[in-house]
Amino acid sequence: ARRGAVADAAAAVVRLAAALPARLLEFEVRSGAGPSGPSSDDWDQLIKEVAASADAGEAARIELRNDKVWEAEALGDWLRTEWGPLALRSIDATLAIRGARPVAFEGATAAGDLGALRWETLDDGGVRADGRLTFSLEGLELVARRDRNSELSGEADLVDSLVDAVEEFAAKRCADAVSAKAPAV
C-alpha cells in the first residue's frame, strides 16, 4: 500500500465533513498488498460506508466467496461450536483481568441470527453484561452487529481472526456453487 494512505483517508473525511455524522467517527486504515491505494472517489465511498455502518452498529461486513454455497445453519453451528470457543480462548490476557471481555458464544435468539458473542465485566456489583456482537448471513455477506455504537474491547482482533477462519471454512466445508452455464449444443 502507499505510504500516503492515512493522509488520503484523512483528506476524504475532511472533504465529506458536512455529510458525516456529528458524533465521533472512528476507523482504522490498514496497509494491503498492491502498488497503489484507493483513488479519491474510492476513499469517499469507503468513508461513507464506514459512517453508514457505524450508525447501524456494524462491526464487520465480510464478503463471502460467491463460488461457494453458504448455508446459514451450517455457518451458525460452526460459529457457535468451533470458531467462537477458539476465539474466546485466544483473547489477550489483559482483557481477561480488567474491563469488559467476551465470555461466551450464544445461540441465535432471533430469526436470521447465527448467534452472538457476549461481553461481560466484573464490577463491585458482580458480573454484568456489557455488550453483544450478533452475527447474521445477509446474501453473500457475514455481518457482525454490536448492540451499541462503540467498539467492544478486543472486537477488532476477533473480527480479524474471523475473516481468516471464514475463508478456511469456505474451502473445507462449503459446497461449490454450480454455475448457470448453458449446456453445449
Side-chain angles (χ1 to χ4, degrees):
R2 293 182 324 106
R3 294 180 93 173
V6 173
D8 291 346
V13 170
V14 170
R15 270 193 310 277
L16 298 170
L20 296 176
R23 63 177 177 72
L24 177 66
L25 183 62
E26 184 178 335
F27 61 94
E28 293 180 23
V29 176
R30 296 184 181 196
S31 63
S36 64
S39 69
S40 291
D41 289 340
D42 291 339
W43 273 117
D44 289 355
Q45 184 62 35
L46 290 166
I47 298 300
K48 287 176 185 175
E49 289 174 12
V50 166
S53 68
D55 285 342
E58 283 185 11
R61 187 170 280 273
I62 302 168
E63 281 189 49
L64 303 174
R65 292 174 50 177
N66 64 0
D67 64 335
K68 296 291 183 178
V69 176
W70 295 89
E71 295 180 10
E73 185 176 342
L75 184 57
D77 287 345
W78 172 79
L79 284 168
R80 284 187 304 280
T81 62
E82 295 181 43
W83 177 80
L86 183 63
L88 292 171
R89 285 192 301 272
S90 72
I91 296 300
D92 187 333
T94 57
L95 286 180
I97 59 174
R98 63 174 173 77
R101 64 208 168 274
V103 296
F105 199 102
E106 304 170 335
T109 57
D113 286 351
L114 302 175
L117 275 172
R118 184 182 74 239
W119 268 253
E120 292 180 350
T121 191
L122 182 61
D123 60 20
D124 294 337
V127 175
R128 67 176 171 80
D130 197 61
R132 290 172 53 89
L133 193 59
T134 303
F135 298 89
S136 61
L137 182 60
E138 298 178 10
L140 283 176
E141 293 181 317
L142 176 58
V143 179
R145 286 189 178 84
R146 56 183 98 77
D147 60 354
R148 61 187 196 189
N149 283 332
S150 60
E151 187 173 311
L152 296 156
S153 59
E155 174 186 304
D157 291 334
L158 289 170
V159 169
D160 285 348
S161 78
L162 179 59
V163 170
D164 295 334
V166 163
E167 190 61 31
E168 185 177 323
F169 175 83
K172 292 182 177 179
R173 306 230 185 134
C174 291
D176 291 334
V178 178
S179 63
K181 292 183 181 178
V185 178

